[in-house]
Amino acid sequence: MTAIARSLQARAKARQTRVARRRRDPRYELVLGRFKAARLLITNDDIPEHRDAISVADTLWAGEIEPRLIELLPAAILKKPSLFVDVKSLPQDVSDVVRAIRRNEKPPPLRGIPGEDLLRWVSRIGHRGKEPSRLKSFRLTREDQRLLSELSEALDLTETETLRQALRTLARQGER
């Protein structure tokens, strides 16, 4: 065996030892257990489910061992914020990704995970197939507000759902 091969083998063994040690760390077990309890991850590791909220920092730390955690993190922050204790104070790179997803933009890569891989989980977490809605503000006249209120009462819908149906109706008429 050459010196280069022995060196590579020694480095691989040292890395394997580090990863094995980190997998036994309580933070890793808590994070993975929380994601398992939320039915976001399936794993063959014998880690008990954990129901208490976890920190984003611990999730990022555990994501160095299990990259699926980082891949799921932005979608989980958006769709299941109760998983975490600190969603108000996110690291800048995570905050940038969450902001991009909220704006329906392609997110930048997050710690080695491509933006496309981060984005695909948004519709799979929570209500399947449902993208997060975006807040839009409109300035309506008093007459427009009255009409919207009357229509929503007559249709027994919320004002938001009344506007959605009106938009769809107009779009269908425009297709003819």
Side-chain angles (χ1 to χ4, degrees):
M1 186 179 287
T2 67
I4 294 174
R6 279 192 298 270
S7 172
L8 285 174
Q9 192 175 32
R11 286 182 16 211
K13 188 172 183 175
R15 176 160 168 66
Q16 185 178 10
T17 303
R18 276 194 314 272
V19 168
R21 188 176 344 117
R22 288 181 112 183
R23 283 184 184 270
R24 291 187 304 269
D25 189 293
R27 292 177 290 178
Y28 177 77
E29 291 184 359
L30 287 176
V31 169
L32 203 60
R34 184 63 184 119
F35 273 74
K36 279 178 65 175
R39 304 292 183 250
L40 297 176
L41 268 183
I42 297 172
T43 180
N44 55 2
D45 290 338
D46 189 27
I47 293 178
E49 292 184 359
H50 177 71
R51 301 245 178 243
D52 293 335
I54 54 177
S55 77
V56 172
D58 286 349
T59 305
L60 291 169
W61 179 87
E64 293 175 14
I65 303 163
E66 179 56 70
R68 294 182 300 169
L69 294 168
I70 294 176
E71 193 172 318
L72 285 164
L73 181 62
I77 289 170
L78 284 170
K79 300 291 267 304
K80 293 190 175 277
S82 63
L83 292 177
F84 306 99
V85 294
D86 54 353
V87 292
K88 299 286 186 205
S89 59
L90 298 174
Q92 188 61 46
D93 57 346
V94 176
S95 179
D96 292 343
V97 168
V98 170
R99 188 178 310 109
I101 292 172
R102 278 193 177 127
R103 293 179 178 174
N104 289 337
E105 299 170 355
K106 180 184 167 198
L110 178 63
R111 304 196 182 191
I113 307 293
E116 302 85 37
D117 292 348
L118 302 169
L119 195 56
R120 70 183 168 144
W121 291 105
V122 175
S123 62
R124 294 181 182 182
I125 293 179
H127 300 287
R128 291 197 181 264
K130 183 174 185 266
E131 296 286 331
S133 59
R134 294 179 55 205
L135 178 65
K136 294 294 249 180
S137 296
F138 298 101
R139 296 191 183 277
L140 301 174
T141 64
R142 227 178 234 137
E143 178 63 20
D144 294 337
Q145 289 175 349
R146 185 188 61 73
L147 283 171
L148 180 59
S149 179
E150 288 175 4
L151 268 174
S152 63
E153 283 181 32
L155 297 172
D156 195 28
L157 298 172
T158 65
E159 290 182 353
T160 302
E161 194 55 39
T162 302
L163 286 172
R164 285 182 180 141
Q165 283 196 6
L167 287 170
R168 289 183 187 107
T169 302
L170 285 172
R172 280 193 301 272
Q173 287 179 354
E175 292 173 357
R176 294 180 190 167

